[in-house]
Amino acid sequence: MGKRTFIGVLALAVGLSLGFAASPIRVGVTVSATGPAASLGIPEKNTFLMIQEEINKAGGIGGHPVEFIILDDGTDPTTAVRNTRKLIEEDRVHAILGGTTSPISLAMIDPVAEAQVPFISLAAAKAIISPVDEKRHWVFKVPQTDEIMAKAVVADMVARGYQTVAYIGFNTAYGEGWAREFAEEAQAAGLEIVADERYAPTDTSVTGQVLKILSRRPDAVLVGAAGTPAVLPQRTLVERGYRGQIYQTHGVANPDFLRVGGEFVENTLLPAGPILVADQLGAEFPSKPVALEYIVQYEGRYGIGSFSTFGGHAMDAWLILKDALERTLDQVQPDDLAAFRSALRDAIEQTRGLVATHGVFNYSSEDHLGLSFEDAAVIVRVKDGTWKLERTFR
């Protein structure tokens, strides 16, 4: 019996043991629990497993048990598309959550749009939800966009008086999106980009790119990468004697980056969702209580220090979906699959003032992100192997 089948049977067994009489609500999930993005996808998977258990113990939603069908795409867009079609056509899910990386989420847009299934992405690129065209009508996302976080990085660079900067990022949609948004923000702020390099997430050396950057002597370098593969350029820069400020993106905000990077990532600055430093935030952040509650719940199950911003994204996707499911069940029953999917999409788009772990979500027909810059972005420093709040924008 494969993992996908086992998880589905377990959910149904939980529902039956608790005496659910109503039909289940099926939530399809595809995340990168293995492969280069595993450090992002594992906390997402863990969060969905935790939610499934807790929500069904609490009576499900409107008397309906919730069945999470969780698949691993191995950080491969082709596998993610195959998973998506399987969840839609064979498992007949009511909604899909996941898409750990930007290339994977972008690849999932066509199958969910063709089948008209609401999809909440866990990846960062603005292109996943913008513009809200005929296909993206069915697509929402929860992580801060590269546009929001590039704005935070450039604001911090300007505040520190930097004038010249360099960029090295993935040769994927994530790295290209960051390169584009960072260039626009930097140009508007009067920063000069003196080097612009790329590498693949599976590369084992970036010496050539780093030597080009060092020859331009930038005040700061931004690494546009995610997960543990983001350590490579930073380690190479440090080993080659770079003494300027190194920035990373919110794609590294997890314990594995600190563990793999060790002393090489000390004093790194990065933009992050406020959950990363929730215990250091002031009361003016509305997401603080929700974030702290999630951290306690997650670490109670998986161990102290195990939470990450990526598990927080999974929780936020669920909080949005749960709220929309409750409103949808007042209009349509899950057995009417096409009508339920359509009504659920509309309910997600009507989400207003929903406080989650990363901020307050206000979706609209023009905005399928729904986060504000002030609520959803902070600057964090890596200090003594942990995260320290450096700057807020409220």
Side-chain angles (χ1 to χ4, degrees):
M1 181 180 290
K3 180 168 66 174
R4 186 190 73 85
T5 305
F6 172 75
I7 292 172
V9 170
L10 175 62
L12 185 57
V14 170
L16 291 173
S17 68
L18 294 176
F20 285 110
S23 56
I25 295 168
R26 295 180 296 277
V27 179
V29 175
T30 177
V31 292
S32 303
T34 58
S39 64
L40 286 62
I42 289 173
E44 295 169 353
K45 179 196 70 175
N46 289 345
T47 298
F48 289 129
L49 290 172
M50 180 176 72
I51 290 168
Q52 175 182 258
E53 181 178 321
E54 295 300 320
I55 194 67
N56 287 319
K57 281 183 180 177
I61 298 179
H64 295 264
V66 181
E67 176 183 339
F68 281 87
I69 304 164
I70 304 173
L71 305 180
D72 176 18
D73 57 44
T75 321
D76 175 47
T78 301
T79 302
V81 170
R82 188 161 56 244
N83 286 349
T84 303
R85 295 196 186 283
K86 188 176 185 64
L87 291 167
I88 293 170
E89 296 166 7
E90 296 182 19
D91 299 305
R92 297 170 57 81
V93 298
H94 296 95
I96 291 181
L97 311 178
T100 300
T101 70
S102 294
I104 285 174
S105 279
L106 288 166
M108 292 168 64
I109 291 175
D110 278 346
V112 298
E114 290 167 7
Q116 300 188 341
V117 178
F119 167 40
I120 303 179
S121 164
L122 305 181
K126 179 183 176 182
I128 296 167
I129 45 88
S130 180
V132 184
D133 52 20
E134 185 175 352
K135 291 183 178 179
R136 291 169 177 81
H137 177 74
W138 294 91
V139 182
F140 303 82
K141 70 188 287 303
V142 284
Q144 299 83 351
T145 59
D146 35 24
E147 180 182 42
I148 285 178
M149 291 313 204
K151 182 178 179 180
V153 167
V154 169
D156 189 82
M157 288 176 169
V158 170
R160 295 176 193 280
Y162 300 144
Q163 297 182 340
T164 58
V165 295
Y167 179 83
I168 177 169
F170 281 167
N171 60 353
T172 67
Y174 185 82
E176 295 300 338
W178 258 97
R180 182 172 55 255
E181 300 298 339
F182 177 61
E184 289 183 6
E185 291 289 340
Q187 183 177 12
L191 296 176
E192 181 184 3
I193 298 178
V194 297
D196 186 3
E197 300 292 332
R198 299 289 185 278
Y199 73 107
T202 54
D203 281 354
T204 57
S205 173
V206 291
T207 300
Q209 296 95 318
V210 164
L211 290 176
K212 290 180 183 177
I213 290 172
L214 292 175
S215 70
R216 305 297 175 87
R217 305 177 67 179
D219 295 330
V221 178
L222 170 62
V223 180
T228 53
V231 172
L232 179 62
Q234 181 152 359
R235 176 170 183 151
T236 308
L237 281 162
V238 173
E239 288 177 336
R240 293 283 174 170
Y242 181 67
R243 295 292 179 266
Q245 179 62 55
I246 299 176
Y247 288 79
Q248 292 273 353
T249 73
H250 56 327
V252 304
N254 64 43
D256 282 347
F257 174 76
L258 299 178
R259 176 181 58 78
V260 173
E263 62 180 326
F264 294 102
V265 300
E266 273 291 298
N267 289 314
T268 302
L269 291 173
L270 65 145
I275 186 178
L276 191 63
V277 288
D279 60 340
Q280 301 168 50
L281 297 174
E284 70 274 17
F285 277 85
S287 62
K288 179 176 180 176
V290 181
L292 290 175
E293 181 179 353
Y294 166 74
I295 292 169
V296 169
Q297 186 181 13
Y298 188 93
E299 292 191 342
R301 183 176 178 120
Y302 298 108
I304 299 297
S306 60
F307 92 96
S308 76
T309 61
F310 304 100
H313 293 316
M315 175 56 81
D316 290 354
W318 167 247
L319 291 174
I320 290 165
L321 183 64
K322 176 175 178 286
D323 177 70
L325 283 168
E326 290 170 342
R327 286 181 277 122
T328 303
L329 285 169
D330 291 336
Q331 309 168 34
V332 189
Q333 289 305 297
D335 292 339
D336 190 347
L337 185 59
F340 194 86
R341 286 170 171 172
S342 178
L344 180 58
R345 190 223 74 87
D346 293 346
I348 294 171
E349 193 173 76
Q350 292 161 9
T351 298
R352 303 284 189 278
L354 190 140
V355 182
T357 71
H358 280 264
V360 182
F361 286 86
N362 290 286
Y363 287 142
S364 71
S365 59
E366 294 81 29
D367 182 3
H368 281 194
L369 171 65
L371 287 172
S372 72
F373 172 69
E374 292 79 9
D375 282 342
V378 298
I379 293 291
V380 171
R381 182 183 294 276
V382 177
K383 188 69 175 177
D384 298 326
T386 189
W387 314 105
K388 299 295 183 184
L389 178 62
E390 186 82 4
R391 188 187 304 277
T392 73
F393 300 97
R394 291 184 64 88

